[in-house]
Amino acid sequence: MIVLSGMIGAGKSSLTNILAEHLGTQAFYEQVDDNPVLPLFYANPKKYAFLLQIYFLNKRFASIKRALADDNNVLDRSIYEDALFFHMNAEMGRATEQEVQVYDELLDNMMEELPYAAHKKAPDLLIHLVISYDKMLAHIQKRGRPYEQPQNDASLVDYYHNLLDRYQQWYQDYHYGPKMQIDCDKYDFVDNLADRQAVLRIIDKKLQERKTLDN
């Protein structure tokens, strides 16, 4: 099982689709476009941060259980990133101490239960997508979700920069299994076929080193 991580607009869903097709396996996507809470959060972050994160946590727990139960799958985001978002929102004053306590206890219980529910300890590989603010913003503008656009909400500029900074430490602290990074400023795996093939070769090599892919 492969899990992807990275910023909003980094290209996780696109690479998930590319990898699933390349490896002949199933893709699991995060629920975004039909997420009923996400637009509410962007409209009123302080009111809906806790509800949004519980919604995501529940969906991510269900997805990774299903993915870990099978032999081969790719997830475009996983439960391992969940706390990063909520703790940052809490530090921004968007969640109460009680909400943080409830969230942390629930996440801890889920992480303890996961190996028993899925009969596997952790993903075989984490692929973290590294991207600059300008490149991320170009991707966000291209896909056109109104609630993600900084021109519609100036507070998103600080939010995105804060999240970018925190991802560096999050990746360093990730300890559940093998991990690697892909530079999304260097490789345009969505629109450039040569870049796509280069990225797939890099990932294949890593999987072969881990003996999770035949040579």
Side-chain angles (χ1 to χ4, degrees), residues 11-206:
K12 295 180 299 298
S13 295
S14 295
L15 186 55
T16 295
N17 182 60
I18 291 167
L19 271 173
E21 183 175 341
H22 173 67
L23 297 172
T25 189
Q26 184 176 356
F28 287 80
Y29 299 100
E30 184 171 55
Q31 186 178 359
V32 175
D33 290 332
D34 55 349
N35 181 333
V37 185
L38 196 57
L40 299 176
F41 166 76
Y42 277 99
N44 193 336
K46 191 169 185 178
K47 181 177 180 180
Y48 290 104
F50 179 68
L51 176 61
L52 177 66
Q53 211 59 51
I54 293 299
Y55 180 92
F56 272 132
L57 180 60
N58 182 48
K59 296 296 184 181
R60 288 167 183 163
F61 184 62
S63 290
I64 201 165
K65 280 198 304 178
R66 292 198 304 271
L68 282 169
D70 293 331
D71 289 335
N72 300 293
N73 291 293
V74 186
L75 285 82
D76 74 339
R77 198 189 288 280
S78 72
I79 197 171
Y80 300 102
E81 285 175 271
D82 207 84
L84 170 69
F85 289 91
F86 187 60
H87 284 185
M88 188 183 84
N89 276 294
E91 290 176 21
M92 295 172 70
R94 296 172 171 179
T96 67
E97 291 184 8
Q98 186 61 52
E99 286 172 333
V100 172
Q101 181 180 346
V102 170
Y103 170 84
D104 285 343
E105 290 177 355
L106 179 59
L107 178 60
D108 287 345
N109 285 336
M110 287 180 168
M111 295 304 293
E112 289 177 4
E113 180 66 21
L114 193 56
Y116 303 100
H119 308 293
K120 190 172 186 178
K121 289 184 178 180
D124 296 292
L125 180 64
L126 166 77
I127 301 173
H128 181 60
L129 303 187
V130 181
I131 193 168
S132 67
Y133 177 80
D134 289 341
K135 181 66 72 172
M136 178 209 73
L137 193 58
H139 289 178
I140 287 174
Q141 290 172 339
K142 183 178 180 180
R143 72 184 181 190
R145 294 173 186 153
Y147 53 81
E148 292 180 341
Q149 310 303 321
Q151 65 266 29
N152 297 334
D153 181 358
S155 69
L156 288 175
V157 175
D158 288 339
Y159 182 82
Y160 290 152
H161 278 295
N162 194 359
L163 198 52
L164 275 168
D165 291 341
R166 288 169 182 261
Y167 257 117
Q168 298 177 18
Q169 188 62 50
W170 176 86
Y171 178 78
Q172 292 178 21
D173 292 342
Y174 179 87
H175 62 275
Y176 294 98
K179 58 186 179 181
M180 63 179 294
Q181 298 187 94
I182 298 293
D183 185 345
C184 296
D185 284 21
K186 180 179 179 180
Y187 296 107
D188 178 6
F189 48 78
V190 176
D191 295 319
N192 186 302
L193 183 57
D195 284 354
R196 182 183 306 177
Q197 294 301 321
V199 167
L200 290 175
R201 285 194 297 270
I202 293 169
I203 295 171
D204 283 350
K205 182 179 178 181
K206 187 71 172 181

